[in-house]
Amino acid sequence: MHEPLFSACIRGAGAVLSLARTTLDGVQARRGKDAPLAYPETAYELPVAFGLTELRVTTLSGAGAVLDLARTLIREGATAENAMDAGAATLLAADVLGALSHENGNPYPPPSVGFVPDSVLRKLGIFMVDGSVPGVAVVIGNAADPAAAAAMVRHFQEIGLLVFLAGEVTGQMGAQGVKLGEDFKTFPLGPLPAVIHAVNFAVRAGLTFGGIGRGQAQAMLSYLGNRVKAFVCALGPLDDVALAIAAGAMKAGLTVLADEAVPEIPGLLLSRPAGEEMALAGMEARGIKVKWVKLPVPIAFGPAFEGERIRKSDTHVEFGGGRSAAFELVRMSPPEEVRDREITVSGTDLRGLPKGTILPLAIVVRVAGSRMQKDFESVLERRIHRIVNYGEGTMHVAQRDTTWIRISTEAVEKGFTLSDLGMMLYAKLHADFENIVDKVAVTILTREKDVAAGLSEARAAYAERDARARTLTDDAVSEFYSCTLCQSFAPNHVCIVSPERLGLCGAINWLDGKAGFEITPTGPNQPVEKGAVLDPVKGAFGGINDFVRQHSRNTVREMNLYSIMDAPMTSCGCFECILAIIPEANGVMAVNREFAGQETPCGMGFSTLAGSVGGGVQTPGFMGVGKHYLLSRKFLGAEGGLARVVWMTKEMKEQLGPALRERAAEIGIPDLVDKIADETVAVTPEQLVSHMETVGHPALSLPPLL
Amino acid sequence: MTVSPSIPTFPGRILEVTLPAGPGGSPVVVGGQNALPLLPEGDHPHAPAVGMEIRTGPEELPPALAEVIGPFSGNPAALAQKCVSGWGARFLFLSLSGCNPDAGGQGVQDGAAIVREVLAATATPVIVGGCGDEDVDGRLFPAVAEAATRPVFLSYAEEKNYRLVAGAALAYGHGVVSWSPIDINIAKQINLLLADLGFPGERVLIDPLTGGLGYGLEYTYSIVERVRLAGLSGDAMLARPILCHLGDAWKAREASDASEPGWGDSALRGRRWEEATGLACLAAGADLLVCRHPENVKRLSEAAWR
């Protein structure tokens, strides 16, 4: 079904080439074959030939050589490959025509600019490299509905795209009052053939900013395809010539969107009505993402407000927290099911509600992205907590179906609505997870029955996720993740984060590490192959040892993931709690950061101990860990696991709560938690040992630690 | 019995970087070594180079500097000529501090004009520094990149602005100084990010942030040493010449406070403070030193014997 299209491209290429040949012959007859040929104000001769061929073009006869080469690219046979090559031939020939037309400078009447000189390219190119110009839209043809096309171009301008116009649409946009010119990054090039100046602009961008040399055609095509985030909006009927130019754009990896019916080629040729739908499709196809400089919400937004508490007296509306049903859920969905920036609020919104209102609430965020993974749902969902707290006048506590959100009276008076809350989530999830999220849609429900219905779906999702988490074990995965974030102050410390041993700061688990790597591939979280299993009990792995050795710059030569006595993991300084051996008790104690007391059975409080544990040094017998590591099946595997814990602060016991008892039951010592001493029972080794003997602590019968 | 000391050999080599000069000037070439600084073994094709800083904003100069560079205040081009022909600076670090809204508030175009003046006044290699205000620098670097009549280095590209600075440098053929806050990982990351953009490695210098003596020098020392060891050990992203800017040495009270007679002559003290900071940086592995006291150009250049 593509054959007629391909044939048209090839016919169009032939037509452009013939026209170029005739025009060139005419000029040659007038000026001689050695007459110079160049665009004004560029260092790149005829840029398309410069970028894609070895030919040097400074004279009319040089241009003839380009046309000869182009001729060899036009082959009969309606195949995709032939059509694309014909497209490349079209671009080469059109650039010759373009240069010929610039013999006396810009041939077009204002506002059309014709060829865009290098000086403008340099200025704008900086912002393309910078990302503040997120992409390029080339709008060509004749709009059937000029108002809709104008709205689309204005949308491009709002988000900062560089816009080129060619064809009747140039005049149409002027008539619609669309602002044109360099200040608006919108260049009316001229009639349809002038679209070549968008192409030679892109080629020169590759030559200037991509470090690509003359004639490196493959590097140039790859630069155009991957770096120049450009797409073409073709309005109105497409004749053979327009299709040949479009084929050239596709050859360079650009997406062409037509508002007429065309046989689609996924990713390259799409048919969409002009307007928002065409704009979104083009941006999506080219991976253009919009960055919000300032969020369009009526309240201030930023980390400065993260710690803000909203007291009952300042609360206007409240959701969840045990007072009403409420939940939040992030779901990954197929791209076609998510409309980016769709924020739906269904049910009562905040405006006009009396102070003290309590409402049910469901927040469902649907995300799609080519690099999104189902495992990242929980990582994104936990971010909701921080995002809501970033608002001045919005407070968020807890997560999942225990979530609790308060909105202050001041915020409601400023006009804050639930759509604004949705906007906060939308924009920040995009910004924070730029590399993995392409589309975000937020649905907020406040009707009792909607929330109840959603809640059962959400609980099923949580259960599914928890089940998945249980299957994520150190033995089941082949890669762990590193975290070297703390090397700024502990230069040789390397954290290895595995599914069953979270980072010692407690802030990064294996999934966070995985997501962190996807978000910043050059960042502190890198995948680490486990490699050969040298000792499954101690947690010794060949790949981990290699990585730690290299990244500690040869300081830590080996590291056992599940041992405190034999080559334990080093600590930076951020540990949630410290484990320290008590030789007399044949066990270890655990003291958390918040514990202010100085009296523990090892004779040191947290801060004193921290001084000897941190700094990236291996200190057998002492180790900083995340609190939840105590609940892991891999906790001190080499030393006998949780049964080794003989002392723990009261606060930690409370924080770990029922999960600690469950884990104790799992290892067959259901009363272990009660046998573990705390600061109210023992603060010296003697007191500790006598307590252990009284209650019969299992550590006493474990093999000696030393 | 003779003991032969074990001499470490490294698999890596530091990338050679050229700071281009104008017509008639001498370019500065650094890097190319495959061994630790100042030691006899290995190749050291280029000795470290010492340059001088020129600041454009109004400032109260410490006594040690007031007497020597004070007379040039407000005339960066004249100071530039003096630094090169009078004091032997091999390159200039032109800080456009005057564009900072809190220190002079010159316009971006004024800053660009100063760059042109200085480039016209001397043929020596130039590194142009921003003013430290994020917004202003965002406009200043593109303007400077466009205004510079010959290739310079732009200082600096950091995590927040590297795309803009690299873009400006790519557009007009300049180099960049990659900056990190005394953090080897960020130093590596910013170089990786620059490489991802396609920025040519032979146009990048590393500025690891130099703390003055008594005010963080030991951290810098350790980072410079580790960056160099990593580079020599084969980490290509860190195998780049290192620039140490000694400006922080002058922020130490000991370097400038004349009200403490018991501490000795404040002018001598200030100069020595900068010298000591620079010597430590050389020992750690710096390839380029930026100082402010003319006498230190000579002293540090003598110390940088290979």
Side-chain angles (χ1 to χ4, degrees), chain A residues 96-107:
Chain A
V96 169
L97 274 170
L100 290 170
S101 74
H102 277 70
E103 189 181 329
N104 300 307
N106 173 16

Side-chain angles (χ1 to χ4, degrees), chain B residues 27-38:
Chain B
V28 168
V29 188
V30 286
Q33 66 269 48
N34 66 350
L36 291 172
L38 304 174

Side-chain angles (χ1 to χ4, degrees), chain A residues 237-294:
Chain A
L238 293 164
D239 61 12
D240 290 356
V241 169
L243 284 172
I245 293 172
M250 288 186 264
K251 170 82 181 177
L254 273 56
T255 305
V256 176
L257 302 112
D259 63 353
E260 303 264 312
V262 286
E264 296 203 351
I265 304 172
L268 285 179
L269 182 62
L270 306 173
S271 180
R272 295 284 185 281
E276 199 189 342
E277 203 166 324
M278 182 180 269
L280 285 177
M283 289 166 58
E284 188 192 333
R286 302 299 288 133
I288 297 171
K289 292 174 186 177
V290 180
K291 287 196 178 109
W292 295 96
V293 180
K294 193 182 172 301

